[in-house]
Amino acid sequence: MSETHRILRFLVVGTFAAAVNWVARIILSWLFAPALSFELAVVIAYAIGMTSGFLLYRAHVFPESDLAVAVQIRRFIVVNLASAAEVWVIAVLLVGPLAQATGHAPLAEALAHGVAIACGAATSYLGHRLLTFRQVQQAS
């Protein structure tokens, strides 16, 4: 598979996994409210979205990986935690200057978060490509 094709698949699968996360939270809140708090529903939905992302990335973006599944899962979690931290830091650093530049806080928040997500997606792709789903090099 070409690298461009792999990146496009990664973006489609990642978007789908994010949608699964979002819809799962809505369904969880609908089914289990008021016993299940919003905050806990977000955490559970995030786990559901990550699980679907892992399974879909493994099957449709990085199918050639020959690492053990347990290793892939651990690395997948680490890469996602690093990417989430990166998104948070970039968004927080950008929101103030963008609010001053635009004079509109909601627009600044949307722009800062959008740029941060794009940076996080690039880091996530590289992390999954080079670490999570890499192929074990065979000795010659």
Side-chain angles (χ1 to χ4, degrees), residues 16 50 70 81:
F16 182 78
M50 270 186 63
L81 289 174

Side-chain angles (χ1 to χ4, degrees), residues 26-51:
I26 292 169
I27 292 170
L28 287 165
S29 292
W30 178 69
L31 287 175
F32 299 107
L36 181 66
S37 70
F38 172 78
E39 293 81 3
L40 187 54
V42 168
V43 170
I44 294 168
Y46 187 81
I48 292 168
M50 270 186 63
T51 301

Side-chain angles (χ1 to χ4, degrees), residues 105-117:
L107 175 61
E109 290 171 357
L111 291 172
H113 194 205
V115 168
I117 287 170

